[in-house]
Amino acid sequence: MKDFISKQEISLKEPRETRYWLRLLIETDMIESERIAKLLDECEQLIKILAQSIVTSKKKLNN
């Protein structure tokens, strides 16, 4: 179970990094925010799903 949680935490880094780069593209005016708003929203949703999965897994590990 600890290995599974570790893999989940690693997978959580990917959408966080993607969100960082998308925000950077917006801040540097390389892409209009409207063009990547949907991608940012999807990143946020993935982050929430993975984070909640980690919380649930850690609860199960401690029980």
Side-chain angles (χ1 to χ4, degrees), residues 31-44:
I31 295 182
E32 298 171 9
S33 60
E34 296 82 26
R35 290 186 65 193
I36 58 174
K38 187 174 180 179
L39 292 173
L40 274 172
D41 183 55
E42 288 185 29
C43 281
E44 293 297 334

Side-chain angles (χ1 to χ4, degrees), residues 17-29:
E17 183 178 353
T18 301
R19 179 180 60 187
Y20 167 80
W21 287 108
L22 290 173
R23 287 179 176 170
L24 191 61
L25 287 171
I26 292 169
E27 289 177 21
T28 57
D29 294 324

